[in-house]
Structures are given as C-alpha cells and as structure tokens.
Amino acid sequence: MARRSDRRLPRAFYERDARDVAPELLNKVFVKGAMRGRIVEVEAYVGGGVDPGSHAHRGETMRNRTMFGPPGHLYVYFTYGMHWCSNAVCSPDGVASAVLLRALAPLAGLEEMWTRRHKARVDRDLCSGPAKLCQAYGIEGRDDGCDLVRPPAGGIAIVDDGVPPPADPGVSERIGLRVGAGDDLPWRWFVRGDRNVSRPG
DNA sequence: TAAAAGATCCCCT
DNA sequence: GGGGATCTTTTAT
C-alpha cells in the first residue's frame, strides 16, 4: 500500500545515464500492492553501444525492445529457463539502458512473498537476488513494459519514503556476466552491511 | 533447422 | 565451492 510519506519519482529521474540512476535507486522502495522492499543492490546496463554486458549491445530484438523505449518503465526478461528479472529503464526514448534490481530488504507484505518463495527458509531468502525478488513479487513476462512512474492502483512502482541513498555505497564489478564483467566496469552498487545483499563484496 | 549461451538459484559435498 | 536444472532467445549453419 502507498504510504503518506511516499514520494513519486518523476520521469526525469530515470531519463539519465543508468550509472547515475543506479546508486540513487539504493534505499528507494519497490512497491507492488501491499508488498514493499527497500532496494539494497543494483547494477547499471549502459546504452550507446559502450556496454558489452548489456542485452541491448547487439541492437534491438523482440526480447529487449522495452530497454529501447521511454524511461521509467519496467524491463522484465526470462533467463536460465526458469527465472524472471526486473530492471528500471533509463535514458531518453531510443537509448537502451536500464538498472537491474538485484536485491531488496523486505519491509511489508512478507506473508504474500512467502506464498511464492517456497524455497526460502528465512526472511533474508525472500528477495536477496534478482530472480528471487521477482518470484516474491509475482513479476513475470506480462509485467514487461509497465509504467513505474504512473502505475495503476495496486501496480508496480518505485517510491522515495524519505530515506536518502547511502553516502558511501559499496561498489564492485557486475555479477554473473560472461562478457562485460571485470574491474574496468564497476557498475554494481549496494548498501554496505545489509544482510539482503546477494554478495558482500 | 540446429546449437549454444544465458544479468540465476538450489542442493550437494 | 561446484554442478545440474530448464527452456527461451539469439545466432550460426
């Protein structure tokens, strides 16, 4: 549920380079219906052909077309034959960039998350990975392209509840990439010390 | 038409 | 710490 202290993020927030948006998404709140989770880990995927790790690096396809669309929408993709992952689309319309939501600290609606995360054993297991948080929230392919800035009632949104981004976030190379990983592309940010981060380093 | 790889997770040792 | 699950999408013959 929306709360009185929630502040909507304007379209302009997303209409920037994903590397600028990503660290500012830390400590924002990912909302769907009654479920709320604080964003504690993200990765940037950059447009303009400079990012070999991006799905969009080889141009627009049926799968990645949402990344090429206007900012402030949700890019949802399917991978490894069983997992969904969620991104916030960044940069102006026509430039393919996005921020992958890698982990949340559950705040509310944990009962609903538990109904979908059967494999979880403790609260930390609910949203401590990009596919885990999608399973917890029930996000699938039908949610690809939905508007995060002006969501329908009960829809998916990202809000500012007054907690600022960390002044000194953790930074590292991105996780799980066959190409585009490496210390030369330190485009992962996380909240230091948070238990829900998928990997401490 | 075929083949390979994939922005992961889970269970086992 | 390592490997299997599982199947869509993309790219190569």
Side-chain angles (χ1 to χ4, degrees), chain A residues 21 28 128 144 173 179 181 185 191 193:
Chain A
V21 176
K28 297 293 186 294
S128 57
D144 181 45
E173 65 188 52
V179 296
L185 304 177
V191 176

Side-chain angles (χ1 to χ4, degrees), chain A residues 38-42 101-105 127-130 133 196-198:
Chain A
R38 193 169 304 286
I39 298 170
V40 296
E41 181 182 353
V42 294
L101 304 180
R102 285 198 55 91
L104 309 175
C127 299
S128 57
L133 70 91
N196 298 275
V197 169
S198 66

Side-chain angles (χ1 to χ4, degrees), chain A residues 141-165:
Chain A
R142 59 171 143 62
D143 299 303
D144 181 45
C146 72
D147 189 354
L148 297 168
V149 174
R150 294 189 174 283
I156 302 166
I158 298 176
V159 300
D160 179 351
D161 71 344
V163 178

Side-chain angles (χ1 to χ4, degrees), chain A residues 99-162:
Chain A
V99 174
L100 172 67
L101 304 180
R102 285 198 55 91
L104 309 175
L107 297 174
L110 276 67
E111 301 86 355
E112 184 176 350
M113 298 179 191
W114 273 102
T115 64
R116 300 194 192 86
R117 290 281 303 135
H118 302 290
K119 301 288 178 60
R121 288 160 39 157
V122 296
D123 285 353
R124 185 195 171 275
D125 299 330
L126 291 173
C127 299
S128 57
K132 294 179 190 176
L133 70 91
C134 284
Q135 188 180 22
Y137 275 62
I139 292 173
E140 299 179 1
R142 59 171 143 62
D143 299 303
D144 181 45
C146 72
D147 189 354
L148 297 168
V149 174
R150 294 189 174 283
I156 302 166
I158 298 176
V159 300
D160 179 351
D161 71 344

Side-chain angles (χ1 to χ4, degrees), chain A residues 52-119:
Chain A
S54 171
H55 288 164
H57 188 240
R58 292 179 183 270
E60 185 171 348
T61 65
M62 283 296 290
R63 181 203 206 190
N64 65 25
R65 65 190 166 83
T66 299
M67 284 184 80
F68 286 81
H73 291 253
L74 193 71
Y75 167 48
V76 180
Y77 68 87
F78 187 67
T79 192
Y80 291 109
M82 57 192 111
H83 298 305
W84 297 98
C85 295
S86 287
N87 305 251
V89 174
C90 299
S91 298
D93 194 359
V95 179
S97 77
V99 174
L100 172 67
L101 304 180
R102 285 198 55 91
L104 309 175
L107 297 174
L110 276 67
E111 301 86 355
E112 184 176 350
M113 298 179 191
W114 273 102
T115 64
R116 300 194 192 86
R117 290 281 303 135
H118 302 290
K119 301 288 178 60

